[in-house]
Amino acid sequence: MRLTTRCKDLLRLLRTARWLSTGQVRRRFFAHATVSAARRRLRRLAAAGYVSKHQENRMWEAVFTLGREGRHVLETETDGGKPVALERRPPKQLEHLAGINDIRIVAELSGQLSYFFAAWELPGLGWKHPIVPDAIFRMADRTFAVEYDRGGEGLRYFVGVKIACYRCGLPGFPLAAVLVVVDRGTRLEALAREIADDCDQFVFTTIDAIRDRGMLAPIWRRVLGGAAGALIGTCSPEMSCRGNTVI
């Protein structure tokens, strides 16, 4: 099987994203093709060992990770012999990982992304801060931290521990804003009410809004009941333009 440039880009993304669903692969690499076209390519890649497929049952969407042949391609052709780890099974919190990767994909498709690192990548980059965000990315001269909240943590812990850390700041790593992304509107309202941001440090939206409208759309709110605005217009670059000494 001949690997196209798109195939190799998919392998590189799987190395960092760990697991991607059929829908995520389609949104990132087959935006102008049918789902069937994406599935056919994934079937061929899986049959040749470039990716590995996991599907809990026929009612669930399949997810894919890097396969042995894919690892060989990355180690010999693209990464200069650097070892690449393989995943055996999806993590228990697959929905959380999938949400972070949804944000990654939309950020990549914005055309303005400088870098994106998920929580599982940060330790390898020397991250030393007391809190590990779900993701860090830089876009349009602004650096953002992401907290993707699916309601698994109580409000008291989320606000008292995580939000408190961000309010203290990350020494040497200035942020334009902390993006709080939730899976439903009621959770957004509860968090926005509890955080009660008066320093323009936090902005809120839902994961569905990001998937459906994109990272740069006017979907971000600073206060409960406030008007939604675009991310770049809502967040000033003044904090993040001072430099980045960690990544």
Side-chain angles (χ1 to χ4, degrees), residues 66-177:
L66 196 65
R68 292 183 181 277
E69 291 300 318
R71 177 176 64 179
H72 179 72
V73 170
L74 293 181
E75 290 180 342
T76 60
E77 295 186 19
T78 65
D79 280 357
K82 290 174 58 179
V84 177
L86 295 181
E87 300 265 340
R88 292 181 177 273
R89 290 185 60 83
K92 292 182 179 179
Q93 295 185 335
L94 180 60
E95 293 86 356
H96 190 259
L97 179 142
I100 295 171
N101 282 330
D102 277 334
I103 297 168
R104 181 200 299 267
I105 289 168
V106 172
E108 289 185 357
L109 292 174
S110 73
Q112 298 193 39
L113 185 68
S114 298
Y115 64 71
F116 188 106
F117 298 108
W120 54 86
E121 299 174 84
L122 292 175
L125 297 169
W127 188 263
K128 302 298 183 182
H129 298 286
I131 187 169
V132 179
D134 285 323
I136 289 285
F137 71 91
R138 186 166 177 82
M139 173 186 291
D141 297 324
R142 294 158 174 83
T143 303
F144 301 98
V146 177
E147 285 295 333
Y148 175 45
D149 178 80
R150 300 188 64 251
E153 298 169 333
L155 285 175
R156 180 175 299 180
Y157 173 82
F158 189 88
V159 176
V161 176
K162 289 190 172 182
I163 298 303
C165 282
Y166 287 118
R167 281 180 167 149
C168 291
L170 305 179
F173 198 85
L175 297 170

Side-chain angles (χ1 to χ4, degrees), residues 148-151 181-188 205-208:
Y148 175 45
D149 178 80
R150 300 188 64 251
V181 182
V182 301
D183 64 347
R184 59 190 188 279
T186 54
R187 181 68 173 180
L188 186 152
T205 194
T206 64
I207 190 67
D208 284 342

Side-chain angles (χ1 to χ4, degrees), residues 5-65:
T5 299
R6 179 169 59 183
C7 291
K8 292 181 181 180
D9 287 343
L10 171 58
L11 298 181
R12 294 187 190 100
L13 181 56
L14 284 172
R15 177 190 57 196
T16 55
R18 299 172 57 192
W19 293 88
L20 293 173
S21 69
T22 304
Q24 288 174 325
V25 173
R26 185 206 176 190
R27 288 196 297 274
R28 180 61 181 85
F29 296 106
F30 297 86
H32 302 295
T34 64
V35 176
S36 296
R39 286 175 178 158
R40 282 196 301 270
R41 175 57 61 167
L42 285 168
R43 280 198 298 268
R44 291 188 64 192
L45 290 169
Y50 292 107
V51 303
S52 294
K53 175 183 174 181
H54 178 86
Q55 190 170 20
E56 287 291 332
N57 58 62
R58 294 178 63 86
M59 300 298 293
W60 288 36
E61 186 177 29
V63 292
F64 295 84
T65 190

Side-chain angles (χ1 to χ4, degrees), residues 174-222:
L175 297 170
V178 178
L179 311 185
V180 181
V181 182
V182 301
D183 64 347
R184 59 190 188 279
T186 54
R187 181 68 173 180
L188 186 152
E189 294 175 3
L191 283 174
R193 187 180 299 110
E194 287 293 323
I195 292 172
D197 180 29
D198 57 358
C199 299
D200 290 342
Q201 190 176 3
F202 305 93
V203 292
F204 306 84
T205 194
T206 64
I207 190 67
D208 284 342
I210 291 177
R211 291 183 187 121
D212 295 342
R213 302 183 61 189
M215 190 69 72
L216 301 179
I219 59 173
W220 302 93
R221 300 181 187 275
R222 284 202 177 277

